[in-house]
Amino acid sequence: MLLTRRLERWGAQPLGFSASEYALAIWTVRDVSLMISSGRLSLEKLFDEDMLGDDLEAWLAESNLMKRTFRNAAIIAGLIERRWPGKEKTGRQVTVNSDLIYDVLRSHQPDHILLRAAWDDAADGLIDIHRLGNLLKRIKGQLLHRALEMVSPLAVPALLEISRESIYGEAHDALLSEASGALIDEAMPVLAIVTKDALYDKMISQVQQAKARGGVVIALATEGDELIRSEADTVIYVPAAPPLLAPIVNVVPLQLLSYHIAVRRGADVDQPRNLAKSVTVE
C-alpha cells in the first residue's frame, strides 16, 4: 500500500496489488516500464527509506489495521467495553463505536495518548517497522529494472491474484472516463439532465465533450436557460423547482420520453421486463 500511494502520486494510476512470500505485483493503468526508462519514475526514490515517514503515517491513519489496534487499546484503557454474549446493554446504556471515537480523536486531539499507544502497537507489533527499515537500507542502490519480453514463470502466481486487492483512485476515474467516451459514437443520442443546480457547470462541460465526439445531445433544462440552447441539439424545458422536489419534476418528461421510445421500438410498455420481482401484475 505504501508503494501504491507513491505510484498514485507520481501518476502511474495503480489499480490494485497482490503480495506473497516471494513476490509483489502491482498493476497500473500507465506503463511503469516506460515511466522508468523515460526518467519519469525512479526506483531509488520509489523504495526510499522516507516512505516510513509521512507515507506510512498517512496510510496507517486511514487503514482498518490502525482502527482495530485502537479498539484494543481503548478496551484495555476502559474507554469502551467488550460485548460478551448474553450481556447486552439496557436501553439506558449507549453502545459507542470505537471507529467513531478514533475519527473524533484524529480530528480534534491527534496527540491523544490512546492514539500514540495504538500507533506504537501497530508499528512494532503488526508491521515490524524496524525490520522494514532495515530491508530498505539493504536494497538501497541495489535495485535493477529489467523489462521482460514475456511473462516470467515466477510471476504467474502473483498474476493469478490480480483483482484480489483493489485500489480506488485516479485509475478508476480514468477508466470510467475512457469507457464513457468510447460509448459516444457519431450521431449517438445522449440524454443530459442540465437543470440549474450545484452540478450545472459540470454538466455543461459534459455536454460539450459529448458534442465534440459527435454525439447528439438531448438536454433536460430549467425554463429560461438560454445557454443550453447553443450547446444541445434538442432542449426539453421543465419548471424551476427546489433541489428536493426537482427529481419529481424531472422524472415526468423522462418517463414520457421512455414511453414513446419503447412504443417506437415495438416494446410492450404494459409488461416491462425485469420488473417481475418487484411488481405484481394481476
Side-chain angles (χ1 to χ4, degrees), residues 9-248:
R9 191 161 59 244
W10 283 331
Q13 296 181 344
L15 286 167
F17 70 95
S18 64
S20 64
E21 292 80 1
Y22 65 91
L24 170 65
I26 300 176
W27 48 99
T28 64
V29 174
R30 304 297 181 187
D31 189 336
V32 174
S33 294
L34 180 60
M35 294 179 67
I36 294 175
S37 60
S38 63
R40 288 183 294 162
L41 179 62
S42 170
L43 282 179
E44 293 295 333
K45 291 183 178 180
L46 184 63
F47 287 91
D48 196 270
E49 295 176 62
D50 61 1
M51 77 162 61
L52 299 182
D54 295 339
D55 283 335
L56 176 62
E57 188 172 344
W59 171 71
L60 266 180
E62 298 171 359
S63 68
N64 291 327
L65 174 68
M66 186 67 171
K67 292 182 177 181
R68 289 197 300 268
T69 308
F70 174 81
R71 182 176 185 275
N72 294 333
I75 291 175
I76 294 173
L79 182 62
I80 60 175
E81 294 183 359
R82 190 186 301 274
R83 297 187 65 179
W84 298 102
K87 292 185 177 180
E88 300 297 328
K89 296 183 181 298
T90 65
R92 294 185 178 182
Q93 293 175 306
V94 179
T95 301
V96 179
N97 190 323
S98 61
D99 290 353
L100 177 61
I101 300 176
Y102 174 78
D103 292 334
V104 170
L105 288 179
R106 272 193 62 201
S107 301
H108 301 284
Q109 197 173 351
D111 60 341
H112 193 277
I113 187 172
L114 282 181
L115 290 180
R116 297 202 304 270
W119 166 263
D120 293 339
D121 289 345
D124 295 332
L126 300 176
I127 298 179
D128 200 351
I129 190 171
H130 301 295
R131 183 180 177 186
L132 182 57
N134 292 332
L135 172 64
L136 294 176
K137 287 181 180 179
R138 290 200 309 269
I139 65 175
K140 190 172 184 178
Q142 306 296 323
L143 296 172
L144 175 65
H145 171 256
R146 180 176 296 173
L148 302 179
E149 296 181 357
M150 60 181 66
V151 176
S152 169
L154 295 176
V156 172
L159 293 177
L160 293 177
E161 298 294 324
I162 283 181
S163 299
R164 175 66 65 87
E165 297 289 343
S166 298
I167 299 170
Y168 298 96
E170 292 182 3
H172 284 268
D173 294 338
L175 291 178
L176 288 175
S177 177
E178 182 180 346
S180 62
L183 288 174
I184 302 177
D185 297 326
E186 187 174 355
M188 175 182 177
V190 178
L191 178 61
I193 302 177
V194 201
T195 51
K196 288 292 185 69
D197 54 21
L199 299 177
Y200 179 77
D201 292 335
K202 290 185 177 180
M203 287 305 303
I204 288 291
S205 176
Q206 294 296 319
V207 168
Q208 292 171 344
Q209 291 183 29
K211 288 291 294 180
R213 294 189 176 98
V216 177
V217 178
I218 305 170
L220 186 73
T222 306
E223 285 182 343
D225 186 355
E226 297 298 330
L227 174 61
I228 194 62
R229 283 185 176 274
S230 60
E231 303 291 349
D233 296 278
T234 304
V235 181
I236 303 173
Y237 284 110
V238 293
L244 293 178
L245 298 179
I248 301 175

Side-chain angles (χ1 to χ4, degrees), residues 191 251-264 269:
L191 178 61
V251 77
V252 176
L254 295 178
Q255 288 278 23
L256 288 173
L257 181 61
S258 301
Y259 168 80
H260 288 290
I261 291 175
V263 171
R264 284 179 174 271
V269 295

